[in-house]
Amino acid sequence: MDEVYYSSTRDSSKKYKASEAVLQGLAPDGGLFVPDHLPALDKSLEELSKLDYKGVAYEVMKLLLTDYTEDELKNCIEHAYDSKFDTPEIAPLHQVGNAYYLELFHGKTIAFKDMALSILPHLMTTAAKKNGIKEEIVILTATSGDTGKAALAGFADVPGTRIVVFYPKGGVSPIQEKQMVTQKGDNVKVIGIKGNFDEAQTGVKMMFNDKALESELLGKGFRFSSANSINIGRLVPQIVYYVYAYTRLLAKGDIADGEEINIVVPTGNFGNILAAYYAKNMGLPVKKLICASNDNKVLYDFFTTGKYDKNREFHLTISPSMDILISSNLERLIYRIAGNDAEKNAAFMKSLRETGEYEVTPEMREGLKDFYGNFATEAETEAEIGRLYKEADYIIDTHTAVASAVYGKFVTDTKDADTKTVIASTASPYKFTRSVMRALDKDDASLTDLQLTDKLHEVSGVAIPPAIEEIKSAPVLHDNVIEKDEMESAVKGFLGI
Ligand SMILES: *Cc1c(COP(=O)(O)O)cnc(C)c1O
């Protein structure tokens, strides 16, 4: 058995088992947990092409979560990728020419975060058991919209856990708010904050860092944890669907065994594309990893100049989940191209904290050759939604449209139109109905966002996802709105302490 251990990107002296890294989330020094090596796939792609999603998930995840037993891992997978998804394929592909849209939005909240957040709670409770932790796990999350609902749906009614989600009242879309406040489950709590997202986030961070609160909670049988995207319990499950997509193309005979594909990912925090990069390093035949940004094109600039610079204007776009200037997961790539050198990486991250920028060395830039970066403007993104609808009768959401438009630029730039290309489709168009309908010139200002879904249905012919149907009639179960300095007492009230 090829054991994989984890260490911090900022200090490699201490080693952790996978389950310990899942429980902790972030390393104590503020760094991110990284595997000490990326094991090669130990089944052939041909063999994997005969397995279903759960089968592929097990074969990939067992290589990286090596201290979970076969039973434990299979049990987590069984609980995650079940009828919560609206198709047994879990992540189906939609072909348009040489492009294959990998639909990662068939879960509970119709966005790709479900792929990992449906399994994270099970990986966490299993890890707690393995490590002799008796306390109930309390997940605290501040959300600007998408992550909150995906985390709620993932943790709802999972024994041994509770979850509290804070969102800025008035600062999320009407559909996002409705999705959250209708969340069922005895262990869930959703609370609006009179403040913005940053204030909600700061409040959560303060609770995480409060030692007195921590020991008070431990005394009462509770332990805080976080479900954010830097947890390896989210990263590892994301590797699965790239292997799955490749093996579906192989099974269909659209590619030959070993033939290289391109992968395009609409990127924000760099988690999803990092998973594709890990897949390549585990032996998946990938030619280029195409990193697509919106107007917040800090990653495009990084790939073209070697300089990361967050000191710039922040743009609110129609692909809000990619409106990010500090892509946290990029730290894992920096660590790797620095030759797995924690000290070097720590210096770059210090520079980022203190000056908002850093520049990698020419040797490190060599390590970025697997990537191609580009961006799509708002107009290009809207035009891409219109083009695909007209030419292929396929409606994509705004985030996927950024990726699709960038793929077009890649083909123009590199003349590589022949390589079969998987485009990560990260949200259902039903999640961003207003922007999608506007791009199609079919917006109707007299309709609410939720009413617009019926119109999108008429235009697309695609069934309205259960996630949307449910919230239309679901009762509001959470209507607490509090001041931002009341967050701690709200948590205590919910825990009954
Ligand atoms: C979170 C999200 C992204 C960005 O993914 P990262 O892993 O943060 O790069 C893209 N699209 C949608 C719809 C998302 O919710």
Side-chain angles (χ1 to χ4, degrees):
M1 183 74 195
D2 180 14
E3 283 289 335
V4 174
Y5 290 94
Y6 291 79
S7 61
S8 164
T9 47
R10 301 185 192 174
D11 170 11
S12 30
S13 64
K14 191 160 176 348
K15 303 257 172 253
Y16 299 80
K17 291 181 195 161
S19 66
E20 293 171 328
V22 167
L23 271 180
Q24 290 207 18
L26 198 67
D29 55 29
L32 276 56
F33 287 116
V34 276
D36 56 2
H37 66 289
L38 288 169
L41 296 169
D42 65 355
K43 286 235 160 72
S44 71
L45 295 163
E46 184 67 38
E47 284 171 281
L48 293 172
S49 74
K50 299 194 171 68
L51 304 178
D52 65 1
Y53 193 89
K54 292 180 196 173
V56 174
Y58 174 69
E59 292 302 328
V60 171
M61 292 175 59
K62 73 169 192 196
L63 298 171
L64 282 160
L65 305 179
T66 50
D67 75 317
Y68 286 72
T69 66
E70 177 171 349
D71 276 355
E72 286 170 343
L73 203 49
K74 285 190 169 162
N75 189 43
C76 292
I77 290 168
E78 278 304 321
H79 280 93
Y81 303 112
D82 57 10
S83 59
K84 287 194 283 301
F85 286 78
D86 66 15
T87 160
E89 289 175 274
I90 308 296
L93 288 158
H94 183 100
Q95 182 182 3
V96 180
N98 278 338
Y100 295 80
Y101 293 82
L102 174 61
E103 297 185 349
L104 302 173
F105 55 72
H106 288 272
K108 271 288 198 193
T109 76
I110 56 177
F112 99 98
K113 304 229 167 26
D114 291 328
M115 301 302 297
L117 279 165
S118 53
I119 193 164
L120 179 72
H122 304 289
L123 294 174
M124 247 182 201
T125 48
T126 305
K129 259 186 230 136
K130 293 174 76 64
N131 289 280
I133 283 163
K134 302 271 183 311
E135 297 86 27
E136 213 174 319
I137 294 173
V138 181
I139 301 291
L140 294 185
T141 304
T143 186
S144 54
D146 274 350
T147 306
K149 175 63 187 187
L152 285 164
F155 281 90
D157 288 329
V158 173
T161 71
R162 303 221 197 172
I163 175 165
V164 185
V165 169
F166 295 99
Y167 72 96
K169 182 74 189 168
V172 302
S173 82
I175 290 187
Q176 286 172 329
E177 179 170 31
K178 191 80 195 281
Q179 278 189 312
M180 288 192 279
V181 297
T182 55
Q183 178 66 48
K184 291 186 222 133
D186 291 336
N187 63 336
V188 308
K189 185 84 186 163
V190 179
I191 301 172
I193 296 294
K194 292 181 195 160
N196 60 29
F197 169 66
D198 278 335
E199 289 165 325
Q201 173 99 308
T202 304
V204 166
K205 280 194 181 147
M206 274 166 58
M207 283 187 267
F208 275 129
N209 294 331
D210 185 338
K211 295 281 170 220
L213 180 62
E214 183 183 342
S215 56
E216 183 184 349
L217 280 165
L218 281 174
K220 304 258 161 68
F222 298 106
R223 171 189 291 262
F224 283 146
S225 194
S226 143
N228 70 22
S229 82
I230 49 88
N231 195 310
I232 62 148
R234 282 183 63 178
L235 187 58
V236 172
Q238 291 180 352
I239 302 171
V240 173
Y241 45 75
Y242 294 111
V243 177
Y244 178 75
Y246 186 97
T247 54
R248 291 323 95 167
L249 295 182
L250 184 59
K252 241 166 57 119
D254 286 17
I255 53 173
D257 197 353
E259 183 176 332
E260 288 189 317
I261 61 166
N262 293 319
I263 295 176
V264 193
V265 185
T267 298
N269 228 346
F270 209 75
N272 203 4
I273 194 166
L274 185 80
Y277 174 72
Y278 278 9
K280 177 175 166 67
N281 283 277
M282 293 170 77
L284 194 71
V286 178
K287 193 185 264 175
K288 281 285 178 193
L289 298 155
I290 300 167
C291 176
S293 302
N294 62 24
D295 277 329
N296 296 295
K297 58 184 183 60
V298 61
L299 288 165
Y300 163 70
D301 292 340
F302 172 67
F303 284 118
T304 45
T305 66
K307 185 170 170 189
Y308 195 93
D309 182 4
K310 72 152 187 111
N311 302 312
R312 59 180 67 209
E313 196 188 334
F314 176 74
H315 299 278
L316 285 172
T317 72
I318 54 172
S319 46
S321 303
M322 298 159 66
D323 290 344
I324 283 175
L325 291 181
I326 298 188
S327 301
S328 337
N329 269 296
L330 185 69
E331 180 168 347
R332 290 189 163 110
L333 178 65
I334 300 297
Y335 172 82
R336 197 167 164 91
I337 62 173
N340 296 338
D341 186 329
E343 214 170 308
K344 248 190 189 169
N345 172 67
F348 288 123
M349 295 308 130
K350 182 161 184 275
S351 167
L352 179 63
R353 271 196 311 282
E354 288 170 0
T355 68
E357 59 177 54
Y358 62 85
E359 185 165 3
V360 300
T361 64
E363 303 86 78
M364 286 174 70
R365 285 193 68 187
E366 284 296 304
L368 298 177
K369 287 234 163 89
D370 293 334
F371 291 88
Y372 167 93
N374 214 324
F375 71 101
T377 63
E378 297 286 271
E380 288 166 341
T381 304
E382 291 194 336
E384 183 66 5
I385 295 175
R387 181 191 73 80
L388 217 62
Y389 177 54
K390 210 176 296 144
E391 291 176 11
D393 199 21
Y394 183 48
I395 299 185
I396 54 176
D397 100 291
T398 47
H399 303 76
T400 309
V402 169
S404 195
V406 163
Y407 173 56
K409 291 186 177 186
F410 169 83
V411 170
T412 307
D413 268 8
T414 62
K415 310 279 178 290
D416 175 10
D418 296 330
T419 304
K420 303 285 191 296
T421 297
V422 167
I423 299 176
S425 183
T426 51
S428 159
Y430 280 103
K431 191 144 195 179
F432 298 95
T433 318
R434 179 78 59 193
S435 301
V436 168
M437 291 300 270
R438 202 168 285 158
L440 296 171
D441 262 332
K442 295 182 194 299
D443 189 21
D444 181 341
S446 72
L447 300 180
T448 66
D449 285 27
L450 215 45
Q451 288 165 336
L452 256 187
T453 59
D454 291 323
K455 225 163 153 222
L456 177 57
H457 172 62
E458 283 165 32
V459 174
S460 68
V462 174
I464 298 178
I468 295 290
E469 287 295 3
E470 271 167 27
I471 59 169
K472 282 185 175 165
S473 54
V476 170
L477 301 173
H478 306 269
D479 57 2
N480 293 41
V481 178
I482 63 169
E483 301 293 336
K484 34 183 201 289
D485 59 6
E486 295 171 334
M487 289 170 69
E488 183 177 324
S489 53
V491 170
K492 285 184 172 170
F494 174 55
L495 299 179
I497 61 175

